[in-house]
Amino acid sequence: MQLIDGNKIAKEIKAEIAESTKKLIEKTGKTPKLTAILVGHDGGSESYVSFKMKDCQEVGFISDLIRFEDDVTEKELLDTIEKLNNDASVTGFIVQLPLPKHINEQKVIEAINPEKDVDGFHPTNVGKMTIGLPSFVSATPMGITLLLKRSGIETSGKNCVVIGRSNIVGRPLSILMSQKEMNCTVTVCHSATKNMKEICANADILISAMGKPNFVTADMVKEGAVVIDVGTTRMPSTETKSGFKLTGDVDFKNVADKCSYITPVPGGVGPMTRLSLLLNTLKAAEKTF
Ligand code: GUN
């Protein structure tokens, strides 16, 4: 079994981004800028956004955080998006999800100019990605394809099973894995799937994006399979300073020995997700500067 070290691969690509950014700044005199909108004080969102801002500084981007309290109105949010759409100094921006219940998330996503939608959530980007046109691809699916490529894992002609069909991960990932570049035969499993065990046990590449700790057990995994764990459930823990521990979807202890490759949680998909946002922001800058 080989452990896929997402931290190591992300660090290598980050150095490449920093180099490209330096060259772009020298050539154009402009610096890429990523703005994040954060609503409320959810622990997970707070920490994800602060990592994203830190990543920007490390590769030489300008970063900016706009914060709102939970009671922000939809109009205030839409007005801010409109300002960012029209602000030439902003290369790309994201609205950290989830948003409070009184705000229509889809309306917010659709208000973002697709050219600045470095999360790749706007239907224009999702549609373009689906038919293989240049677009911003959402960060986790993009990070996973990069992880597989950089690890030298053969994907062409393989059976790939994706567990989960969320708009952010499972659905776009299933499309990317079926396209020519990855060339897999893809099956998507979800809450209504029958024979989940049998389907998963037939996977050469099993990707779980379910958000249920230890959902993928050893009997669901084929000998020699590649297992990618997208789960990041925050479980209470006395072992860490923060009081919680990120827990994956895969019963790592019992599954790892059966795999040819497996990603750990943390340190597998997570760092690659953060990296993909940087790649999209650099791409936006290269296009518009
Ligand atoms: N919430 C969970 N993942 C993401 C992400 O990739 N982008 C945004 N904006 N919100 C998220």
Side-chain angles (χ1 to χ4, degrees), residues 141 160 162 164 169-179 186-188:
C160 173
V162 178
V169 185
R171 200 186 313 276
L173 181 62
S174 66
I175 294 163
L176 286 179
M177 293 303 289
S178 74
Q179 282 169 338
V186 179
T187 308
V188 181

Side-chain angles (χ1 to χ4, degrees), residues 24-267:
L24 185 70
I25 296 170
E26 277 165 12
K27 193 172 136 203
T28 64
K30 293 184 186 174
T31 304
K33 177 175 171 183
L34 176 72
T35 297
I37 299 178
L38 175 60
V39 179
H41 298 276
D42 171 75
S45 294
E46 288 268 3
S47 83
Y48 293 138
V49 169
S50 84
F51 277 129
K52 288 172 187 178
M53 299 289 96
K54 190 169 145 266
D55 287 340
C56 283
Q57 282 139 30
E58 280 174 25
V59 297
F61 295 173
I62 299 168
S63 63
D64 186 27
L65 175 59
I66 301 175
R67 303 192 72 119
F68 290 102
E69 292 302 321
D70 274 316
D71 60 357
V72 64
T73 64
E74 192 174 280
K75 178 158 188 322
E76 277 176 282
L77 216 46
L78 293 173
D79 286 348
T80 304
I81 289 171
E82 188 56 22
K83 271 195 203 129
L84 295 173
N85 283 340
N86 295 315
D87 182 344
S89 78
V90 175
T91 314
F93 64 97
I94 64 164
V95 181
Q96 187 65 26
L97 304 179
L99 292 170
K101 295 261 178 305
H102 66 279
I103 292 171
N104 182 337
E105 222 163 72
Q106 195 55 30
K107 202 167 163 186
V108 166
I109 290 170
E110 289 184 27
I112 301 171
N113 175 354
E115 307 264 309
K116 293 192 177 190
D117 168 40
V118 285
D119 254 335
F121 290 170
H122 192 285
T124 296
N125 280 317
V126 178
K128 285 184 173 176
M129 180 276 291
T130 301
I131 57 172
L133 293 175
S135 61
F136 292 120
V137 176
S138 63
T140 302
M142 181 174 164
I144 291 169
T145 58
L146 273 174
L147 203 57
L148 291 167
K149 280 191 258 179
R150 288 265 178 158
S151 304
I153 292 167
E154 178 60 76
T155 55
S156 185
K158 304 286 183 190
N159 284 336
C160 173
V161 172
V162 178
I163 309 176
R165 57 178 162 182
S166 70
N167 286 344
I168 294 183
V169 185
R171 200 186 313 276
L173 181 62
S174 66
I175 294 163
L176 286 179
M177 293 303 289
S178 74
Q179 282 169 338
K180 200 94 186 181
E181 196 174 346
M182 305 308 283
N183 236 2
C184 287
T185 304
V186 179
T187 308
V188 181
C189 293
H190 46 75
S191 51
T193 298
K194 293 189 176 118
N195 311 324
M196 178 87 83
K197 260 183 200 165
E198 289 79 356
I199 294 168
C200 292
N202 192 35
D204 302 310
I205 302 170
L206 179 60
I207 308 176
S208 184
M210 187 84 168
K212 281 195 184 163
N214 300 322
F215 179 81
V216 176
T217 47
D219 55 342
M220 294 166 77
V221 177
K222 182 161 95 172
E223 203 67 52
V226 174
V227 174
I228 307 291
D229 190 348
V230 192
T232 50
T233 308
R234 288 157 69 96
M235 299 290 278
S237 169
T238 50
E239 293 165 35
T240 60
K241 250 198 253 166
S242 60
F244 71 86
K245 199 171 159 188
L246 282 187
T247 310
D249 284 358
V250 177
D251 175 13
F252 187 92
K253 226 173 33 193
N254 295 309
V255 168
D257 283 344
K258 289 186 89 175
C259 304
S260 55
Y261 292 88
I262 187 165
T263 59
V265 176

